[in-house]
Amino acid sequence: MTWQFEHVTLGQRVRFGTGTAAADLAAEVDRLGARQVLLISSEPVAAEVAAKIDVAAHCTDVAPHVPVENAERARALASSSGADLLVSVGGGSTTGLAKAIALTTGLPIVAVPTTYAGSEATNVWGLTEASRKTTGADDRVLPKTVIYDAALTASLPRSLAVASGCNALAHCVDSMWAPRTDPINQALALEGIRALSAGLREDAREQMLYGAYLAAVAFASAGSGLHHKICHVLGGAYNVPHAETHAAILPYVLAFNTPAVPEAAARIREALGGSLIDVYDAVGASHVLHGVPDVREAAALILPSVPPSNPRAVTEDDLITLLAAAQAGQNPDGVPA
Ligand code: NAD
């Protein structure tokens, strides 16, 4: 086999521990020489995380998919408070709001994630205006430092932890065939799958965070494959919940692509320690798609964004079949190929 690829690794510092977020954050604020911290969080745990630093202002204006009005208000607060560092404590919506500020101000971010969404390890931003989500890549929004603390995810309800974990699994699986996939992304993705599969089964939060980080790094480099394109369109068009929608769609995209990439599918299965559906059943994950009123309309919306590099050609009828099967919660392996 001959390999030829160009791989980009994004530069950021990661501090990882359990019960260490407050001390790690104080150390990072010190290291970065920040004097005016804008804390961005609506999570109750934020006070505990920020206990060892001075906070100049606290923005709690977090909303799903970062509405532009919230971004504008947060940018105004960053300006009026003289912020020289943004500290986000929360899930992807919180990290997303910090990124929206960084996009126009260039302010550095220290991200403290409390879910497995993975936004903290990407240079991708997203903003929503009039029910339309726009995304882009810009290195200014990549957090300078990520502080992982497994204790912070303890308050996640089990159902959300499982759905968010499946969202991270989706980053890994899609990275196996995404437009810029390469052997490095695939190695990260497969180790991510191993950690997430074990973490989900054993409710092991450190493994989950480790896997979520690897997943996000692989995804940031490999780009959005078929799975992410489908979920992105559904999220924008129908405002369906992020993690749950990723969890629902993943088994159907994996089943759809498997015949075209048997080797990658075998590696995914080996890393999972069984079939994806076995993992879902073992951990109580749902693969039923909710909130999409018309699968034909959805399929038509998705089709133009299907990556041409997907290992299998995708027709509008394929998408209708896939979405209808997900809506019915059918066994993904029984969906006609
Ligand atoms: P979220 O941030 O909206 O959080 C979901 C819910 O969980 C919220 O109600 C939140 O308050 C709650 N929550 C968060 N942490 C908690 C904790 N530790 N304990 C209890 N409750 C907690 O959802 P998400 O799935 O983390 O992120 C989804 C968003 O992130 C979407 O907008 C998505 O587009 C974005 N995202 C962006 C990227 C990127 O690279 N830019 C990557 C992944 C996700």
Side-chain angles (χ1 to χ4, degrees), residues 201-241:
R201 290 173 198 265
E202 294 154 23
D203 200 13
R205 311 258 164 170
E206 282 192 356
Q207 286 296 299
M208 293 298 295
L209 272 179
Y210 167 63
Y213 172 70
L214 294 177
V217 173
F219 168 62
S221 178
S224 290
L226 177 62
H227 170 87
H228 279 81
K229 291 297 184 186
I230 292 174
C231 293
H232 179 82
V233 172
L234 296 180
Y238 307 110
N239 198 25
V240 287

Side-chain angles (χ1 to χ4, degrees), residues 42-317:
S42 56
E43 301 302 329
V45 77
E48 189 188 310
V49 173
K52 295 180 191 292
I53 61 166
D54 291 328
V55 172
H58 185 174
C59 171
T60 57
D61 210 4
V62 178
H65 305 302
V66 196
V68 280
E69 312 82 58
N70 298 51
E72 286 306 332
R73 285 194 295 270
R75 287 166 180 161
L77 183 58
S79 168
S80 65
S81 63
D84 60 3
L85 179 67
L86 309 172
V87 172
S88 62
V89 181
S93 300
T94 310
T95 314
L97 184 58
K99 286 178 163 184
I101 305 172
L103 183 65
T104 55
T105 62
L107 286 170
I109 302 173
V110 173
V112 187
T114 62
T115 70
Y116 310 122
S119 177
E120 67 278 1
T122 83
N123 59 358
V124 177
W125 54 266
L127 282 165
T128 306
E129 185 165 23
S131 301
R132 200 171 158 270
K133 188 161 183 178
T134 311
T135 59
D138 190 317
D139 284 350
R140 278 180 303 179
V141 310
L142 178 74
K144 294 277 173 279
T145 305
V146 184
I147 295 175
Y148 286 110
D149 180 345
L152 301 180
T153 59
S155 54
L156 274 175
R158 174 73 184 159
S159 62
L160 184 54
V162 167
S164 193
C166 292
N167 181 193
L169 268 180
H171 291 323
C172 297
V173 171
D174 221 24
S175 293
M176 297 299 286
W177 49 62
R180 299 190 304 274
T181 189
D182 64 37
I184 298 171
N185 298 327
Q186 293 179 359
L188 292 166
L190 290 166
E191 173 62 4
I193 292 172
R194 270 180 215 108
L196 289 164
S197 177
L200 278 165
R201 290 173 198 265
E202 294 154 23
D203 200 13
R205 311 258 164 170
E206 282 192 356
Q207 286 296 299
M208 293 298 295
L209 272 179
Y210 167 63
Y213 172 70
L214 294 177
V217 173
F219 168 62
S221 178
S224 290
L226 177 62
H227 170 87
H228 279 81
K229 291 297 184 186
I230 292 174
C231 293
H232 179 82
V233 172
L234 296 180
Y238 307 110
N239 198 25
V240 287
H242 181 82
E244 290 81 353
T245 303
H246 277 265
I249 292 293
L250 179 63
Y252 298 95
V253 172
L254 176 58
F256 179 80
N257 271 347
T258 288
V261 279
E263 196 204 337
R267 294 173 81 195
I268 291 168
R269 191 184 171 97
E270 190 269 324
L272 282 167
S275 77
L276 183 61
I277 283 305
D278 287 347
V279 176
Y280 268 49
D281 288 346
V283 304
S286 167
H287 55 85
V288 183
L289 176 65
H290 295 287
V292 176
D294 182 346
V295 294
R296 290 183 173 274
E297 177 193 69
L301 290 172
I302 293 164
L303 192 63
S305 51
V306 168
S309 61
N310 191 60
R312 256 184 86 175
V314 184
T315 66
E316 195 164 327
D317 280 347

